[in-house]
Amino acid sequence: MNVFINLNLESSDPIYIQLQQQIIEGIAKKQLLPGDALPSVRSLAADIGINLHTVNKAYQQLKQDGFILIHRQKGVVVHPDGVPQADEVYKQELKAKLRPLVADSICRGMSEAEFSQFSKELFQLFNEEEGEKN
């Protein structure tokens, strides 16, 4: 796995969520490609010094969301068919996740334009890093 996992043990975000998000970022940035192998639960837990149940929880959520497959013989791989495309269910879940972020931003005085610019910059960041790989 050529993704650098950087966990913040002081963060209020659970470790399994941080791990899950970093693997998704690796897929989005094309650092992890369909069919790429990921370390076993035991191996990754030992490598980054966390409990194996934490890695297992992250992997199970990634599997449920269609990012990875877990095979008994082949181990853990990025889903060979790629990540399922955004459907209406995903879009509704995304909207629900964005609502509190937008509300918090409004309470803190951010404009719609500022919020949109942040989102645009993040999309560009992922696209730039993808372009550097090609």
Side-chain angles (χ1 to χ4, degrees):
M1 181 168 81
N2 55 354
V3 174
F4 182 71
I5 301 293
N6 185 15
L7 301 176
N8 178 357
L9 303 179
E10 303 300 318
S11 172
S12 61
D13 294 330
I15 293 172
Y16 82 95
I17 296 285
Q18 293 180 51
L19 179 59
Q20 182 182 334
Q21 289 172 340
Q22 290 190 23
I23 291 172
I24 292 170
E25 282 192 26
I27 294 169
K29 293 175 182 176
K30 307 285 191 233
Q31 295 169 334
L32 292 170
L33 301 173
D36 280 357
L38 296 176
S40 69
V41 169
R42 206 174 294 273
S43 174
L44 185 55
D47 288 349
I48 58 181
I50 61 174
N51 187 295
L52 64 92
H53 297 293
T54 302
V55 175
N56 189 52
K57 188 169 185 176
Y59 275 5
Q60 289 302 321
Q61 188 63 50
L62 289 165
K63 177 184 174 187
Q64 181 179 325
D65 293 342
F67 288 98
I68 65 172
L69 292 178
I70 302 173
H71 297 284
R72 286 187 183 238
Q73 286 86 14
K74 297 179 186 176
V76 182
V77 296
V78 176
H79 201 297
D81 298 333
V83 177
Q85 296 300 296
D87 58 10
E88 280 308 309
V89 172
Y90 172 81
K91 290 175 183 177
Q92 289 303 314
E93 289 172 355
L94 178 61
K95 191 181 276 188
K97 290 176 183 175
L98 286 172
R99 280 183 74 92
L101 294 174
V102 170
D104 188 39
S105 299
I106 290 169
C107 288
R108 295 174 186 277
M110 273 184 91
S111 68
E112 180 181 350
E114 284 178 294
F115 190 92
S116 295
Q117 183 60 34
F118 269 59
S119 180
K120 184 177 181 179
E121 288 171 7
L122 287 171
F123 266 91
Q124 289 172 346
L125 175 71
F126 282 97
N127 288 329
E128 287 170 6
E129 291 183 15
E130 178 184 329
E132 291 172 8
K133 295 284 177 196
N134 297 328

